[in-house]
Amino acid sequence: MARVPHPTKKHPALTYQEPTLVKVGRYSLTTFLVLVVLSLLYVGAWFLTSMQLRSGLQDWFAARQANGYLAHYAEKSARISGFPFSVKATLQDVVFAPPKNEFAQHPWVWSPSELTFSITPLPWTIRTLNIDLSARQTFSINNQSYSGTAETALLSLDWMSKGLPDEINLSIQKLALAHKTLPQGVDIQKLSFTSARQSDGNYAFDLTGERATLPVGLRGLGQRLDDIILRGHLNENFAHDGISPSSLIKWRDAGGIMEAQRMHIQYGPLLLQGNGTMALDGDLQPVGAFSARIQGFFETVNSLQRAGVVRGPDASMAKVVLGMLAKQPQNGGPATISLPLTIQNRAFFAGPVQLIDLPILNW
């Protein structure tokens, strides 16, 4: 007779199931502890970033002062805020100007009443510094002062880059600076500038602007720039160590050039479209060669002649020589000239005709 196996009784420890309430409590506690640790790390990152931003701004202004710039702000009113979402540094009564020229004067002075610097202290945003430039400001040039505000004026850049920031983004909309007595002020309807350092060593840039009235302009053509588009790049790791005479010499000797892949300029009667390249000569002055398509050339030459920018014989030669290149559209409209433009020996040439002497650039 076969033996019937005795039924085994399972131990309670083997069949125990954790109550749902205990399980939820354990997960909640773990989640809470993780959030506490992350919060403490974030708070630490916020305070560390705030200290770095404060010291970075102080060092930047001190470095500019050491190089002859006029650069200061009201230190007693400077403040750090923005916790917990961002780190903000607010500077008031800022004054900034380049070193004095040969006349012992600053070429221009910019005085915003307030600048706000902000950083979001997260791993993927920590390198981006945002600067709000829209507060009331005064811009002085040629003994003339203009004051006003902008609807939008935001500058973003990679503040941890060495030398020229690896990324720059500037957006301005409806900037209006009025003069106390002159009817014409400084106005920019729209301006956008972006630049980024590429993996191949090129530094790409893109500038677009619409309906801008500038504080200075070319005599004869006025101060109104209706439209501008400039896109291209600078090669050979341009300004990787900053912009200085020594770095520019190093860049030039390495074969550095600026390639303008697209130019579009509507300035007074002049409409210019083209492309070309520019470099620096032995005296660090620009030299360049461009291929351009121009409308309004004769009107522009006449305006420059009346203003004394172009001499009478040069203007006459330009109109005679380049007039043979003009093409009149079959359906009417302004004549178009396709010709090379060159910059050499601190002069601007349209074809073989020298038009304008260029000022010396002092780096």
Side-chain angles (χ1 to χ4, degrees):
M1 182 176 179
R3 183 178 178 182
V4 179
H6 190 279
T8 58
K9 186 177 181 182
K10 294 184 178 180
H11 195 278
L14 301 177
T15 59
Y16 173 78
Q17 291 186 356
E18 186 178 34
T20 303
L21 185 60
V22 175
K23 185 183 298 185
V24 171
R26 181 164 54 83
Y27 288 159
S28 299
L29 179 60
T30 302
T31 302
F32 174 75
L33 292 175
V34 171
L35 291 176
V36 168
V37 172
L38 292 177
S39 298
L40 291 174
L41 291 174
Y42 181 84
V43 170
W46 191 95
F47 281 101
L48 179 61
T49 303
S50 66
M51 290 187 292
Q52 289 179 330
L53 180 57
R54 181 192 294 271
S55 62
L57 290 174
Q58 292 173 341
D59 293 343
W60 190 88
F61 275 85
R64 301 289 83 71
Q65 293 173 6
N67 290 329
Y69 287 77
L70 180 64
H72 60 79
Y73 59 93
E75 295 187 15
K76 292 184 178 180
S77 61
R79 65 183 186 274
I80 298 291
S81 62
F83 184 82
F85 301 109
S86 64
V87 178
K88 292 184 178 180
T90 303
L91 307 183
Q92 294 182 336
D93 301 328
V94 180
V95 178
F96 184 80
K100 293 182 178 180
N101 53 26
E102 62 272 21
F103 305 107
Q105 295 179 339
H106 296 287
W108 51 264
V109 180
W110 179 52
S111 306
S113 61
E114 183 176 284
L115 289 180
T116 301
F117 302 80
S118 63
I119 300 172
T120 302
L122 295 172
W124 53 90
T125 58
I126 191 67
R127 297 182 64 95
T128 301
L129 175 64
N130 300 303
I131 309 172
D132 188 346
L133 309 170
S134 61
R136 185 163 188 82
Q137 53 198 274
T138 299
F139 184 77
S140 301
I141 186 171
N142 295 336
N143 296 320
Q144 303 292 339
S145 294
Y146 305 85
S147 299
T149 61
E151 181 180 282
T152 302
L154 181 63
L155 172 64
S156 300
L157 52 86
D158 184 346
W159 71 308
M160 295 184 178
S161 302
K162 181 182 178 182
L164 190 66
D166 288 344
E167 291 186 6
I168 300 176
N169 294 279
L170 174 64
S171 177
I172 296 177
Q173 299 216 13
K174 296 183 179 179
L175 171 69
L177 306 180
H179 193 277
K180 289 184 178 180
T181 58
L182 297 178
Q184 182 171 280
V186 176
D187 295 281
I188 297 178
Q189 183 67 23
K190 183 178 180 181
L191 186 142
S192 174
F193 175 79
T194 62
S195 65
R197 196 173 298 280
Q198 309 293 314
S199 58
D200 59 2
N202 289 339
Y203 194 80
F205 58 86
D206 188 334
L207 171 68
T208 60
E210 299 176 6
R211 298 193 298 278
T213 302
L214 306 177
V216 293
L218 188 61
R219 282 187 299 134
L221 297 184
Q223 299 168 226
R224 177 63 180 264
L225 187 63
D226 292 297
D227 201 12
I228 181 171
I229 300 174
L230 182 60
R231 294 175 185 153
H233 66 264
L234 299 104
N235 68 350
E236 297 296 336
N237 288 307
F238 174 76
H240 188 268
D241 298 323
I243 299 178
S244 65
S246 60
S247 67
L248 290 173
I249 291 173
K250 181 180 178 181
W251 175 71
R252 178 202 63 195
D253 294 344
I257 61 170
M258 182 200 78
E259 181 177 352
Q261 296 162 328
R262 182 186 179 190
M263 295 189 304
H264 174 96
I265 300 173
Q266 177 73 61
Y267 183 22
L270 177 68
L271 173 61
L272 184 151
Q273 298 172 320
N275 53 64
T277 59
M278 184 177 291
L280 295 175
D281 64 15
D283 297 322
L284 294 183
Q285 301 303 303
V287 292
F290 302 88
S291 176
R293 180 176 176 269
I294 300 175
Q295 291 181 355
F297 179 83
F298 299 106
E299 296 84 350
T300 300
V301 172
N302 289 334
S303 297
L304 295 176
Q305 181 183 359
R306 287 193 297 268
V309 177
V310 176
R311 295 174 299 178
D314 292 335
S316 300
M317 181 180 295
K319 287 185 283 189
V320 171
V321 174
L322 301 181
M324 296 183 292
L325 303 175
K327 295 182 180 180
Q328 193 73 36
Q330 294 181 355
N331 55 355
T336 300
I337 300 177
S338 297
L339 76 166
L341 303 177
T342 56
I343 299 174
Q344 58 183 352
N345 299 323
R346 296 196 299 274
F348 178 78
F349 293 81
V353 181
Q354 178 177 338
L355 288 181
I356 302 173
D357 293 325
L358 301 177
I360 297 176
L361 293 182
N362 296 313
W363 303 98

